[in-house]
Amino acid sequence: NLALGNYSISRRNGDYTIVPAQTLLVKVSQSQATTYGDTPAYNITAQYLSSSGAVINCTGSSSCSGPTTNNGGPITISDVPNGSSASFAAFTIGVQASATDYSSAGSLSVGGYNLTSTNVTTFGNNFRALTLVGSLTMKPKEISASSLGIQSVTKVYDGTTNINNDSIIDVNRAQSQVRAGDQVAISATGLFANKNVGVNKSVTIDVSLSGLDAKNYTLPIDSQTQQSNGRFVNNIGTITQLDSVSW
C-alpha cells in the first residue's frame, strides 16, 4: 500500500513508444553517425507483446528470428511459437526527408532524420501490425585540401607573393573527393614562395569551401588549434609575365 510508505516513486523523463499487443515494435539505431555519401549501417531489434501478455524478443528467442536481410533486400522477421501458427513480417527502412534534404548529387544531406518503415508486409496472428522507431544522423565528409583536385594556382606578376581574388585556381573535379554534381566552390588565400615570374613554384594556400552543398563537407581539424585546417603546400604555382608597359 503506497499510503504506508513502503514504496517510493521516481519519475524519469524520456520519449516512449507504446504499441498494442500483437504489434511488432522495431527499434533502429546507429553505432555511429553515417558519413555523407555513405550507406547507413543500422542496429535493429524487434519485440512484441503476445496475446497472452508475454514480451517476445526477436533476438535470442527460440521461436522469433530476425531481423535478417537478403542481399540488400527487405528486412524480415519470422516467429513460429510452439503450438501456434507462423507469423512473418517484411519491411524496408525509409527516411522522413523532403526533396530539399538531398544534395545536388542526390545524397541525403548532413543532419538528423527520423526513420520510418516502408513496403510493410505482415502475415499471421502473432504480430498483425508493425511500428518502427529510430533516427539517422548524417555527418559531413572530411576531405583534405590535397584531395580537392587543385591542379594549379596562377596569377599575373604584381610584385607580391600574395595569392588573392585575382589568382586563378584550376580544379580537376575528376580527381576531387567532392561528389559529382555537388555545388561546392573552392577559394584560397596564401603565398607564392617568391614574387618572380616562373612555373612549378611552391605555393602555400589555405582553402575554404562555399556553395549550396558545402555543408556536407569539412576540412580536417587541427589538433592544436581545434580550427579547420585547409592548408595545402605544393609546387603548382605559376606567375606569368606582366604585359609590356609604355612610358
Side-chain angles (χ1 to χ4, degrees), residues 16-79:
Y16 300 94
T17 300
I18 301 174
V19 298
Q22 297 171 283
T23 295
L24 188 65
L25 176 61
V26 178
K27 299 178 182 179
V28 182
S29 62
Q30 296 173 279
S31 55
Q32 60 182 5
T34 301
T35 299
Y36 168 72
D38 290 349
T39 301
Y42 296 119
N43 302 314
I44 308 171
T45 61
Q47 60 182 179
Y48 71 96
L49 184 68
S50 69
S51 57
S52 64
V55 176
I56 308 298
N57 290 299
C58 293
T59 8
S61 168
S62 59
S63 63
C64 192
S65 62
T68 59
T69 58
N70 183 17
N71 296 325
I75 299 163
T76 59
I77 298 172
S78 58
D79 186 28

Side-chain angles (χ1 to χ4, degrees), residues 96-156:
Q96 294 181 1
S98 64
T100 57
D101 291 321
Y102 288 85
S103 68
S104 302
S107 296
L108 192 64
S109 293
V110 166
Y113 304 90
N114 289 323
L115 299 175
T116 187
S117 58
T118 59
N119 304 314
V120 177
T121 300
T122 59
F123 172 82
N125 294 323
N126 299 333
F127 29 83
R128 300 178 179 179
L130 184 147
T131 297
L132 184 146
V133 294
S135 61
L136 167 66
T137 300
M138 301 296 297
K139 67 178 182 178
K141 178 180 181 180
E142 182 178 291
I143 49 177
S144 64
S146 60
S147 300
L148 291 170
I150 299 174
Q151 299 291 292
S152 63
V153 179
T154 305
K155 77 167 186 175
V156 177

Side-chain angles (χ1 to χ4, degrees), residues 9 11 14 33 35 44-45 47 59 88 121 157 182 205 207 212 218:
I9 298 175
R11 295 176 174 83
T35 299
I44 308 171
T45 61
Q47 60 182 179
T59 8
F88 172 84
T121 300
Y157 174 79
D182 273 349
I205 57 178
V207 174
L212 181 64
T218 184

